[in-house]
Amino acid sequence: MLQGKKILIGITGSISAYKIPLLVRLLVKEGAEVSIIMTQMAREFVTPLTLSTLSGKPVYTDFFDKDDGSWHSHVDLGNWADVFLIAPVSATSLGKMVNGIADNLLIATYLAAKCPVYFAPAMDVDMFHHPSTQSNIQTLIKYGNHLIEPEVGELASGLTGAGRLQEPENILKVLSAHFEKKKALKGINVLITAGPTYESIDPVRFIGNHSSGKMGYAIAHAFAEAGAAVELISGPVNQPANHSNIHITAVVSAKEMEKAVDQKLDKAQIIIMAAAVADYTPEKSATKKIKKKGDDLTLKLFPTTDILKSIGEKKRKEQILVGFALETDDELQNAKKKLRTKNLDLIVLNSLKEKGAGFGFDTNKVTLIDRNGNEETFPLKSKNAVAADILDKIQSLRKDKNA
Ligand code: CTP
């Protein structure tokens, strides 16, 4: 399962660091490539020599090699890894991760890493339960990091409680499950729309909306990571989509989005319409810039095709269709009505009322309502974490469709 996987381990100062050499041995035995960064404090608990011998690679602590002056690039290490595990992570390092205090190579690498990050706290029970530690853990989860909860048991302090680093075998299981998940959607074609549409008024003006495309791109990334082939039809946005499983078709108007969706629809088993498609468009764009005159200007707008609704009318039985709803009033009722009238399997209700949710933010708060009437409201999370929740929900809907 871990053959050829690149795992970066960050070790911070905690007595439980003694478990990491055992973990490195297990990972290497499974065929993984392991690189290690340790903080200065971690070196007091476990030696770099032990770790470099077991991993077969140099162990990094400093930004520079003091002997030959070469630079250990935190960006390169972060880009190299398929997954970054920070274990054990002390209370101090949790605080640094939350606040972006990059005063050592480990935290700098964490801030630069694009791969999924798992963190396994280990500390004394009272430190673990302190509100600041708990709030730091919740913030890191909100940023899209994955918590490996400490075990309850006897601690180095002599006290008993939560705070023990998970055993190496359990950490190995978490990492194996991570890569297992990555293959879960191999062979599945997913069609996703994202971003706004721009409806042209004349050569210089358009009607648009505030959609940043972040949510749709996060979903595309989550499905690509799970092994699916993703067709992403994107309105004008400023988002990167660096994944070999994502193919982007760039469109501008609702009409172009409709056409692109039509072309890709047949092949898709899962269709997710996250785009904020304009409901109205000028009948035709003026060929020349409309000049300012003294009088009022009236624009006559015509309805666009409701792409989601038209897919709902013709979708095949095995296709899963997911829509989004952005409501300001009677949120739940309106979302449920959309689910029914557009013949959806799932609707994602976005809240605009919540601080930190909606257009342009990196976080979102959603309620998922499925065709069976199940309803689940999630806390405010990073858009990546919301995308993971949507993916999990779609997976369970697929299972009961095939059952
Ligand atoms: N949608 C679409 N085509 C349109 C308009 C919307 O495919 N022309 C899709 C969006 O991608 C989203 C869902 O429909 O998944 C909901 O869009 P929303 O604007 O909230 O709902 P409407 O059906 O347009 O209803 P209203 O604007 O009245 O709330």
Side-chain angles (χ1 to χ4, degrees), residues 118 146-148 169-179:
Y118 285 75
H146 307 277
L147 170 68
I148 302 178
E169 292 76 12
N170 294 341
I171 298 180
L172 177 71
K173 273 190 205 150
V174 171
L175 295 178
S176 301
H178 168 83
F179 289 107

Side-chain angles (χ1 to χ4, degrees), residues 284-339:
K284 59 179 193 305
S285 175
T287 50
K288 291 192 178 141
K289 186 180 169 203
I290 300 170
K291 294 299 284 177
K292 181 167 59 194
K293 297 194 188 106
D295 317 328
D296 294 349
L297 175 71
T298 305
L299 274 179
K300 190 159 183 197
L301 303 178
F302 291 82
T304 57
T305 306
D306 187 329
I307 309 171
L308 183 61
K309 189 157 181 264
S310 74
I311 302 172
E313 282 159 6
K314 60 187 175 207
K315 75 167 179 180
R316 295 192 305 270
K317 236 175 101 189
E318 76 281 5
Q319 284 178 316
I320 298 256
L321 181 59
V322 182
F324 274 67
L326 186 68
E327 308 290 342
T328 49
D329 304 295
D330 299 327
E331 298 182 327
L332 270 177
Q333 264 150 292
N334 281 328
K336 283 179 186 166
K337 191 168 157 219
K338 273 179 200 167
L339 178 85

Side-chain angles (χ1 to χ4, degrees), residues 193-195 197 254 257-258 261 272-280 303-311 322-328 334 338 341-342 344 346-348 350:
T193 65
T197 62
M257 186 167 277
E258 182 189 352
V261 166
I272 305 169
M273 296 286 298
V277 188
D279 287 331
Y280 292 93
T304 57
T305 306
D306 187 329
I307 309 171
L308 183 61
K309 189 157 181 264
S310 74
I311 302 172
V322 182
F324 274 67
L326 186 68
E327 308 290 342
T328 49
N334 281 328
K338 273 179 200 167
T341 54
K342 299 194 187 192
L344 310 180
L346 179 68
I347 193 152
V348 182
N350 281 286

Side-chain angles (χ1 to χ4, degrees), residues 185-192 223-224 227-232 245 247 264-272 316 318-320 394 398:
L185 288 168
K186 219 173 158 80
I188 299 294
N189 297 305
V190 185
L191 175 58
I192 299 171
F223 275 85
V230 178
E231 283 290 351
L232 178 60
N245 287 3
H247 175 257
K264 313 279 182 193
L265 187 59
D266 221 30
K267 238 177 110 188
Q269 285 103 333
I270 300 169
I271 305 128
I272 305 169
R316 295 192 305 270
E318 76 281 5
Q319 284 178 316
I320 298 256
I394 292 173
R398 265 166 50 80

Side-chain angles (χ1 to χ4, degrees), residues 150-208:
E151 285 182 333
V152 175
E154 202 180 309
L155 299 162
S157 61
L159 297 173
T160 300
R164 274 170 66 96
L165 181 69
Q166 283 286 350
E167 292 306 318
E169 292 76 12
N170 294 341
I171 298 180
L172 177 71
K173 273 190 205 150
V174 171
L175 295 178
S176 301
H178 168 83
F179 289 107
E180 188 80 53
K181 222 173 168 184
K182 281 184 78 120
K183 288 198 190 145
L185 288 168
K186 219 173 158 80
I188 299 294
N189 297 305
V190 185
L191 175 58
I192 299 171
T193 65
T197 62
Y198 287 177
E199 308 304 316
S200 173
I201 296 170
D202 69 15
V204 289
R205 304 178 180 97
F206 60 83
I207 300 171

